[in-house]
Amino acid sequence: MNATLTSNRPTTLLLACACLMVTALAGCNDSKTAGKTPAEMKPVVKRTPTPATPTVATTKATNPMDAERAMSYLTQMCAFGPRYSGSAGMLRQRAMIAKLFESLGATVREQEFKMPHPITRQQIDCVNLIVEWQPEAKERVLLCAHYDTRPLPDRDPNPRRRREGVFVGANDGASGVAVLMELGNHLADTKLEVGVDMVMFDAEEMLFEDDYGRRRGEYFWGSSYFANQYKQKPPAYKYRWGVLLDMVGDAELELLQEKYSLQYCRPLVMEIWQTAARLGVDEFVPRTKRRRTDGFIRDDHIPLNQIAKIPSCDIIDADYPDVPFGAPGAYWHTEQDIPQNCSGESLAKVSWVLLEWLKSQPAESK
């Protein structure tokens, strides 16, 4: 018996030590949880690491427009020389534009009108060129640009050029038309829910200004005539929206939101600039000019809104290159408004935004 007790003594001591350790550990845990409610005494849960989210490859949309082809349209028009209303250059240009759109399957018609020459007062034969896509559609969108040029570069810094120079109007005259021509190459194969009319306005700026700012003639003859005809002889269809393109070929393109456009048709402006944002075309800047008095541009969209009641916006880069109208260094109405100061990439980007916006138009007005 004594032998048995002696042989189990080490085991008894080990058990006693183990009990003391357990008691000590329990005391430590009690000190950390003292005063806590059962809800706060949350058990430690071993979590399985969350697998990393797989990276999704995003591909930036590719512009399907042909910048080189768009630029070639602009340079061809400028090669005709000055294209003011009634000039030989205007006649050659009109034939070229009509031939292209007819070859693409569009319906082309002429809307003739007359205006008095600002100086001689003799009547000038003018033509708005109208290009129709899906002419059977009753819901339509109007895309437009003026295709005449100023008779003279009357804002050129050289006084002699202001009186005798040559103005070919690469940006102010040809750029908007070049965008419509490039767009036509894609409309021929694109099924839209709405019909599209393109109108090239004549006599937008058949006027003269002298060195003292005195002006002979008026703006917007072509668009005013078109708007009055739409009002006085309403067609069987209606125009849901109108979009004017003017000076959209600048190599340093920056398209701010024009302020009259926001007054007349803010939803349209928002739609187009949001389309540009979706495509990543950063040249469409979603703001207006900073100063309250800047950024109001009188253009062909004014008669469309005021006379025809067609809600229309103006897409225009008024600072050409990055200089306001009439400021030193501006190309506007000078001999520097030439193809070399324009960009096919700018034309292609504007064409792309318009095409994608047209695709988003529903069959019925909202």
Side-chain angles (χ1 to χ4, degrees):
M1 203 171 153
N2 289 339
T4 305
L5 289 171
T6 304
S7 64
N8 288 335
R9 190 173 180 183
T11 302
T12 304
L13 288 171
L14 287 171
L15 288 171
C17 290
C19 288
L20 288 171
M21 290 177 66
V22 170
T23 303
L25 288 171
C28 290
N29 288 335
D30 287 345
S31 68
K32 290 181 180 179
T33 59
K36 292 191 177 182
T37 64
E40 293 172 311
M41 295 169 61
K42 296 179 181 178
V44 177
V45 179
K46 186 176 181 180
R47 299 185 182 275
T48 303
T50 304
T53 303
T55 303
V56 178
T58 55
T59 304
K60 188 175 181 180
T62 303
N63 189 346
M65 301 296 173
D66 189 328
E68 186 175 341
R69 179 172 59 193
M71 191 65 187
S72 74
Y73 293 143
L74 183 146
T75 55
Q76 286 177 62
M77 286 183 277
C78 291
F80 295 134
R83 303 173 305 286
Y84 53 87
S85 300
S87 67
M90 168 57 86
L91 294 176
R92 290 195 293 270
Q93 172 185 243
R94 186 183 306 139
M96 168 210 167
I97 296 170
K99 182 178 179 181
L100 171 72
F101 284 119
E102 287 171 347
S103 72
L104 295 173
T107 301
V108 181
R109 60 187 178 90
E110 296 183 349
Q111 185 182 58
E112 299 177 351
F113 65 97
K114 293 182 181 292
M115 67 162 289
H117 191 283
I119 296 176
T120 67
R121 308 309 297 172
Q122 293 180 343
Q123 293 294 302
I124 302 173
D125 293 324
C126 300
V127 173
N128 288 333
L129 196 63
I130 302 174
V131 179
E132 299 172 336
W133 305 90
Q134 296 177 227
E136 72 284 356
K138 301 303 180 185
E139 285 271 335
R140 308 190 67 75
V141 170
L142 176 65
L143 306 179
C144 46
H146 76 89
Y147 72 141
D148 65 313
T149 61
R150 195 83 156 192
L152 291 168
D154 52 30
R155 296 279 180 165
D156 200 277
N158 185 319
R160 182 173 181 177
R161 289 175 182 166
R162 292 199 289 267
R163 298 187 300 269
E164 304 172 5
V166 176
F167 182 69
V168 298
N171 194 23
D172 192 4
S175 68
V177 181
V179 165
L180 296 179
M181 294 168 81
E182 176 56 26
L183 182 59
N185 285 280
H186 298 265
L187 287 186
D189 301 317
T190 303
K191 179 63 178 176
L192 301 175
E193 298 294 327
V194 294
V196 176
D197 286 348
M198 297 176 175
V199 182
M200 272 57 71
F201 293 130
D202 201 350
E204 190 262 359
E205 52 184 359
M206 183 56 186
L207 50 86
F208 295 83
E209 287 189 19
D210 63 21
D211 291 347
Y212 301 99
R214 292 176 297 201
R215 189 177 72 196
R216 295 187 181 184
E218 298 296 332
Y219 287 104
F220 319 136
W221 279 86
S223 56
S224 296
Y225 184 83
F226 178 88
N228 276 302
Q229 290 296 299
Y230 184 80
K231 176 183 177 181
Q232 296 166 10
K233 302 175 182 178
Y237 54 83
K238 71 171 183 177
Y239 288 122
R240 178 185 301 171
W241 300 118
V243 180
L244 173 66
L245 303 166
D246 196 359
M247 297 178 69
V248 290
D250 189 349
E252 300 178 13
L253 192 65
E254 183 183 54
L255 297 167
L256 302 178
Q257 295 168 340
E258 192 272 328
K259 291 182 178 177
Y260 284 126
S261 301
L262 288 169
Q263 289 181 1
Y264 285 118
C265 53
R266 179 177 291 270
L268 171 60
V269 175
M270 295 299 109
E271 282 186 14
I272 294 174
W273 264 255
Q274 286 166 7
T275 300
R278 175 170 58 82
L279 298 175
V281 181
D282 298 332
E283 285 78 4
F284 282 74
V285 181
R287 66 169 178 83
T288 63
K289 284 206 175 249
R290 304 293 189 191
R291 292 177 55 187
R292 259 184 7 179
T293 55
D294 291 343
F296 291 93
I297 300 174
R298 294 191 59 80
D299 209 339
D300 280 318
H301 66 312
I302 301 297
L304 297 178
N305 280 292
Q306 293 183 347
I307 300 172
K309 306 303 179 184
I310 302 169
S312 304
C313 76
D314 192 5
I315 299 178
I316 183 170
D317 182 358
D319 298 340
Y320 175 47
D322 192 19
V323 181
F325 285 132
Y331 300 151
W332 180 62
H333 290 177
T334 75
E335 286 197 338
Q336 288 305 304
D337 188 2
I338 53 178
Q340 290 87 332
N341 290 322
C342 295
S343 163
E345 292 296 329
S346 296
L347 302 174
K349 288 178 179 179
V350 177
S351 300
W352 186 26
V353 171
L354 284 178
L355 178 62
E356 292 302 315
W357 172 73
L358 287 171
K359 289 179 180 178
S360 72
Q361 292 300 297
E364 302 256 338
S365 300
K366 294 179 181 178

